[in-house]
Amino acid sequence: RQLSLPVPDKPTEVTNLATSFNRLLDELEKKSEKEKLFVSNAAHELRTPIATIRSHAQLIQRRGREHPEIIPKSIEYINDESHQMQSLVDELLTLSRADRMTLDFDNYDLSQSLNNISDRLNAAIKQKINRQIEKDIRITANEESIEQIVTSLLSNAAKYSPNDSVITLKLDRINDVTQISVIDEGRGINDEDKPHIFDRFYRSNDVRGSIAGTGLGLSIANELSSLNHAQLSVSDNHPHGSIFTITFE
Ligand code: ADP
């Protein structure tokens, strides 16, 4: 029996088929390249805290009895590095879930929710949060993930700004466009770094090695914003600092 294969009528159809097939292959290749890069970056980032933890544990084992004075410092390192690993693993889990996540949307009071977040964070950060939150603004979105984005932006604002500066949390609605902004008076972000800060694992050179972080917070915030059909963007504050804006249209 002869197999009947679908034979395209015209040569242009073959060309179109080949073109779309090639495009699909390109996309798949790019995706798997990206995934490989992601896994190798994650492994690399985890290796550093693991190595530090192991070397301090060994140090305590070898010299702790004779030189007990080294113990507190080593335990501090172990503590810090395990915190770093914990955030990294939590964020990696969130990211891997974000790829497959569909969120439940509700219509809720965003003004109220932002006030709650601000209350909660007030105790945890040094800076004062100046609220410019318009009342009774409701949106249809996933409340939990919006909370996660705003908390992450406020924590970054605190982390990259002096303790005595002010962080502004703003909410307004103009012509049906709702915007949340987190404005800080900190170090700001160079123009060269701006295009990359939403990339996974990207950290600017001036903070690497001096301020703890994973480089994943903003990429998560960006993916969660997309899942909520919102746009996350960054601009400069004047005379210094950054402005992160979430726009719902
Ligand atoms: P992390 O803070 O863990 O490094 P993020 O993904 O949250 O990771 O941020 C990526 C990078 O963007 C940071 O390492 C820092 O260089 C820069 N950045 C983020 N938020 C701010 C901010 N408010 N002010 C200055 N730089 C920032």
Side-chain angles (χ1 to χ4, degrees), residues 156-157 159-160 184 187-189 197 202-204 207 213-219 242 244:
N156 272 353
K159 190 159 80 168
Y160 298 112
D184 70 54
R187 58 175 57 232
I189 301 171
I197 54 164
Y202 189 85
R203 309 199 68 216
S204 62
V207 307
T214 61
L216 290 176
L218 282 181
S219 62
S242 308
F244 282 87

mmCIF file of all heavy atoms in Angstrom, residues 156-157 159-160 184 187-189 197 202-204 207 213-219 242 244, ligand 1:
data_model
loop_
_atom_site.group_PDB
_atom_site.id
_atom_site.type_symbol
_atom_site.label_atom_id
_atom_site.label_comp_id
_atom_site.label_asym_id
_atom_site.label_seq_id
_atom_site.Cartn_x
_atom_site.Cartn_y
_atom_site.Cartn_z
ATOM 1 N N ASN A 156 15.007 46.415 47.197
ATOM 2 C CA ASN A 156 16.148 46.895 46.409
ATOM 3 C C ASN A 156 16.419 48.374 46.683
ATOM 4 O O ASN A 156 17.566 48.782 46.865
ATOM 5 C CB ASN A 156 15.878 46.731 44.911
ATOM 6 C CG ASN A 156 16.308 45.374 44.398
ATOM 7 O OD1 ASN A 156 16.914 44.600 45.126
ATOM 8 N ND2 ASN A 156 15.984 45.092 43.153
ATOM 9 N N ALA A 157 15.342 49.172 46.706
ATOM 10 C CA ALA A 157 15.501 50.611 46.951
ATOM 11 C C ALA A 157 16.243 50.815 48.278
ATOM 12 O O ALA A 157 17.155 51.638 48.379
ATOM 13 C CB ALA A 157 14.142 51.297 46.976
ATOM 14 N N LYS A 159 18.188 48.577 49.826
ATOM 15 C CA LYS A 159 19.522 47.980 49.788
ATOM 16 C C LYS A 159 20.526 48.882 49.073
ATOM 17 O O LYS A 159 21.696 48.933 49.430
ATOM 18 C CB LYS A 159 19.398 46.636 49.063
ATOM 19 C CG LYS A 159 20.595 45.754 49.126
ATOM 20 C CD LYS A 159 20.215 44.296 48.838
ATOM 21 C CE LYS A 159 20.073 44.048 47.361
ATOM 22 N NZ LYS A 159 19.996 42.617 47.026
ATOM 23 N N TYR A 160 20.069 49.586 48.046
ATOM 24 C CA TYR A 160 21.000 50.379 47.228
ATOM 25 C C TYR A 160 20.932 51.881 47.535
ATOM 26 O O TYR A 160 21.307 52.696 46.702
ATOM 27 C CB TYR A 160 20.745 50.094 45.739
ATOM 28 C CG TYR A 160 21.003 48.640 45.388
ATOM 29 C CD1 TYR A 160 19.963 47.785 45.014
ATOM 30 C CD2 TYR A 160 22.287 48.102 45.465
ATOM 31 C CE1 TYR A 160 20.204 46.439 44.722
ATOM 32 C CE2 TYR A 160 22.531 46.767 45.173
ATOM 33 C CZ TYR A 160 21.489 45.954 44.807
ATOM 34 O OH TYR A 160 21.733 44.624 44.522
ATOM 35 N N ASP A 184 13.856 55.948 44.663
ATOM 36 C CA ASP A 184 14.853 56.045 45.729
ATOM 37 C C ASP A 184 15.875 57.140 45.444
ATOM 38 O O ASP A 184 15.909 57.698 44.340
ATOM 39 C CB ASP A 184 15.527 54.684 45.984
ATOM 40 C CG ASP A 184 16.436 54.238 44.849
ATOM 41 O OD1 ASP A 184 17.335 55.007 44.461
ATOM 42 O OD2 ASP A 184 16.248 53.110 44.351
ATOM 43 N N ARG A 187 22.264 55.050 44.819
ATOM 44 C CA ARG A 187 23.390 55.107 43.891
ATOM 45 C C ARG A 187 22.967 55.227 42.431
ATOM 46 O O ARG A 187 23.762 55.599 41.576
ATOM 47 C CB ARG A 187 24.257 53.864 44.069
ATOM 48 C CG ARG A 187 23.469 52.581 43.843
ATOM 49 C CD ARG A 187 24.329 51.337 43.900
ATOM 50 N NE ARG A 187 25.046 51.211 45.138
ATOM 51 C CZ ARG A 187 26.367 51.000 45.233
ATOM 52 N NH1 ARG A 187 27.085 50.888 44.143
ATOM 53 N NH2 ARG A 187 26.935 50.876 46.385
ATOM 54 N N GLY A 188 21.709 54.857 42.119
ATOM 55 C CA GLY A 188 21.243 54.918 40.742
ATOM 56 C C GLY A 188 21.852 53.809 39.897
ATOM 57 O O GLY A 188 22.630 52.990 40.388
ATOM 58 N N ILE A 189 21.474 53.780 38.628
ATOM 59 C CA ILE A 189 21.941 52.713 37.729
ATOM 60 C C ILE A 189 22.526 53.344 36.475
ATOM 61 O O ILE A 189 21.889 54.178 35.827
ATOM 62 C CB ILE A 189 20.773 51.771 37.361
ATOM 63 C CG1 ILE A 189 20.193 51.144 38.642
ATOM 64 C CG2 ILE A 189 21.236 50.677 36.403
ATOM 65 C CD1 ILE A 189 18.928 50.380 38.452
ATOM 66 N N ILE A 197 19.651 44.988 33.571
ATOM 67 C CA ILE A 197 19.296 44.695 34.969
ATOM 68 C C ILE A 197 18.127 43.728 35.143
ATOM 69 O O ILE A 197 17.958 43.156 36.209
ATOM 70 C CB ILE A 197 19.029 45.962 35.813
ATOM 71 C CG1 ILE A 197 17.984 46.806 35.122
ATOM 72 C CG2 ILE A 197 20.312 46.738 36.079
ATOM 73 C CD1 ILE A 197 17.398 47.833 36.072
ATOM 74 N N TYR A 202 22.136 39.119 36.442
ATOM 75 C CA TYR A 202 22.924 40.324 36.184
ATOM 76 C C TYR A 202 23.005 41.200 37.434
ATOM 77 O O TYR A 202 21.994 41.491 38.070
ATOM 78 C CB TYR A 202 22.326 41.143 35.028
ATOM 79 C CG TYR A 202 23.242 42.262 34.607
ATOM 80 C CD1 TYR A 202 24.263 42.019 33.689
ATOM 81 C CD2 TYR A 202 23.133 43.546 35.170
ATOM 82 C CE1 TYR A 202 25.145 43.031 33.319
ATOM 83 C CE2 TYR A 202 24.009 44.548 34.801
ATOM 84 C CZ TYR A 202 25.001 44.294 33.882
ATOM 85 O OH TYR A 202 25.870 45.287 33.528
ATOM 86 N N ARG A 203 24.227 41.595 37.785
ATOM 87 C CA ARG A 203 24.434 42.548 38.873
ATOM 88 C C ARG A 203 25.463 43.555 38.384
ATOM 89 O O ARG A 203 26.436 43.177 37.721
ATOM 90 C CB ARG A 203 24.982 41.852 40.132
ATOM 91 C CG ARG A 203 24.172 40.633 40.571
ATOM 92 C CD ARG A 203 24.464 40.272 42.018
ATOM 93 N NE ARG A 203 23.953 41.293 42.916
ATOM 94 C CZ ARG A 203 24.547 41.664 44.028
ATOM 95 N NH1 ARG A 203 25.702 41.126 44.376
ATOM 96 N NH2 ARG A 203 24.031 42.600 44.786
ATOM 97 N N SER A 204 25.284 44.850 38.694
ATOM 98 C CA SER A 204 26.256 45.815 38.191
ATOM 99 C C SER A 204 27.586 45.617 38.926
ATOM 100 O O SER A 204 27.617 45.152 40.067
ATOM 101 C CB SER A 204 25.730 47.240 38.348
ATOM 102 O OG SER A 204 25.542 47.526 39.703
ATOM 103 N N VAL A 207 28.295 46.763 42.567
ATOM 104 C CA VAL A 207 27.682 46.144 43.754
ATOM 105 C C VAL A 207 28.176 44.716 43.991
ATOM 106 O O VAL A 207 28.107 44.201 45.100
ATOM 107 C CB VAL A 207 26.129 46.166 43.701
ATOM 108 C CG1 VAL A 207 25.612 47.550 43.449
ATOM 109 C CG2 VAL A 207 25.562 45.201 42.663
ATOM 110 N N GLY A 213 23.543 39.804 47.087
ATOM 111 C CA GLY A 213 22.399 39.704 46.181
ATOM 112 C C GLY A 213 22.596 38.557 45.227
ATOM 113 O O GLY A 213 23.684 37.985 45.139
ATOM 114 N N THR A 214 21.518 38.215 44.501
ATOM 115 C CA THR A 214 21.589 37.075 43.587
ATOM 116 C C THR A 214 21.487 37.492 42.128
ATOM 117 O O THR A 214 21.796 36.713 41.233
ATOM 118 C CB THR A 214 20.413 36.116 43.866
ATOM 119 O OG1 THR A 214 19.195 36.845 43.639
ATOM 120 C CG2 THR A 214 20.433 35.594 45.281
ATOM 121 N N GLY A 215 21.008 38.707 41.892
ATOM 122 C CA GLY A 215 20.794 39.129 40.502
ATOM 123 C C GLY A 215 19.539 38.520 39.894
ATOM 124 O O GLY A 215 19.350 38.547 38.686
ATOM 125 N N LEU A 216 18.664 37.966 40.746
ATOM 126 C CA LEU A 216 17.447 37.335 40.209
ATOM 127 C C LEU A 216 16.174 38.122 40.512
ATOM 128 O O LEU A 216 15.165 37.952 39.844
ATOM 129 C CB LEU A 216 17.298 35.908 40.768
ATOM 130 C CG LEU A 216 18.305 34.875 40.264
ATOM 131 C CD1 LEU A 216 18.105 33.538 40.978
ATOM 132 C CD2 LEU A 216 18.175 34.678 38.764
ATOM 133 N N GLY A 217 16.236 38.979 41.539
ATOM 134 C CA GLY A 217 15.022 39.684 41.991
ATOM 135 C C GLY A 217 14.303 40.429 40.877
ATOM 136 O O GLY A 217 13.091 40.286 40.713
ATOM 137 N N LEU A 218 15.038 41.194 40.100
ATOM 138 C CA LEU A 218 14.388 41.999 39.059
ATOM 139 C C LEU A 218 13.885 41.144 37.896
ATOM 140 O O LEU A 218 12.875 41.478 37.283
ATOM 141 C CB LEU A 218 15.339 43.073 38.523
ATOM 142 C CG LEU A 218 15.535 44.312 39.403
ATOM 143 C CD1 LEU A 218 16.474 45.291 38.720
ATOM 144 C CD2 LEU A 218 14.201 44.990 39.706
ATOM 145 N N SER A 219 14.601 40.040 37.603
ATOM 146 C CA SER A 219 14.102 39.209 36.503
ATOM 147 C C SER A 219 12.795 38.534 36.923
ATOM 148 O O SER A 219 11.882 38.389 36.117
ATOM 149 C CB SER A 219 15.149 38.205 36.018
ATOM 150 O OG SER A 219 15.482 37.323 37.035
ATOM 151 N N SER A 242 17.040 55.889 41.612
ATOM 152 C CA SER A 242 16.342 55.182 40.532
ATOM 153 C C SER A 242 14.841 55.255 40.734
ATOM 154 O O SER A 242 14.356 55.411 41.858
ATOM 155 C CB SER A 242 16.709 53.702 40.539
ATOM 156 O OG SER A 242 18.083 53.541 40.538
ATOM 157 N N PHE A 244 11.583 52.833 39.673
ATOM 158 C CA PHE A 244 11.034 51.642 39.030
ATOM 159 C C PHE A 244 9.523 51.827 38.947
ATOM 160 O O PHE A 244 8.888 52.195 39.942
ATOM 161 C CB PHE A 244 11.378 50.389 39.834
ATOM 162 C CG PHE A 244 12.801 49.937 39.611
ATOM 163 C CD1 PHE A 244 13.833 50.461 40.383
ATOM 164 C CD2 PHE A 244 13.113 49.035 38.606
ATOM 165 C CE1 PHE A 244 15.154 50.064 40.173
ATOM 166 C CE2 PHE A 244 14.429 48.635 38.381
ATOM 167 C CZ PHE A 244 15.449 49.150 39.161
HETATM 168 P P1 ADP B 1 20.199 41.718 43.382
HETATM 169 O O1 ADP B 1 19.696 42.935 44.088
HETATM 170 O O2 ADP B 1 20.015 40.461 44.145
HETATM 171 O O3 ADP B 1 21.586 41.896 42.864
HETATM 172 P P2 ADP B 1 18.209 42.279 41.305
HETATM 173 O O4 ADP B 1 17.816 41.431 40.144
HETATM 174 O O5 ADP B 1 17.146 42.688 42.238
HETATM 175 O O6 ADP B 1 19.351 41.465 42.041
HETATM 176 O O7 ADP B 1 18.917 43.577 40.746
HETATM 177 C C1 ADP B 1 19.881 43.465 39.691
HETATM 178 C C2 ADP B 1 20.892 44.595 39.763
HETATM 179 O O8 ADP B 1 20.250 45.839 39.439
HETATM 180 C C3 ADP B 1 21.492 44.813 41.147
HETATM 181 O O9 ADP B 1 22.568 43.949 41.372
HETATM 182 C C4 ADP B 1 21.924 46.275 41.070
HETATM 183 O O10 ADP B 1 23.143 46.365 40.342
HETATM 184 C C5 ADP B 1 20.821 46.902 40.224
HETATM 185 N N1 ADP B 1 19.736 47.511 41.021
HETATM 186 C C6 ADP B 1 18.515 46.995 41.274
HETATM 187 N N2 ADP B 1 17.759 47.852 41.984
HETATM 188 C C7 ADP B 1 18.502 48.959 42.182
HETATM 189 C C8 ADP B 1 18.285 50.233 42.836
HETATM 190 N N3 ADP B 1 17.126 50.532 43.431
HETATM 191 N N4 ADP B 1 19.308 51.136 42.819
HETATM 192 C C9 ADP B 1 20.486 50.850 42.213
HETATM 193 N N5 ADP B 1 20.751 49.678 41.587
HETATM 194 C C10 ADP B 1 19.771 48.741 41.557
#
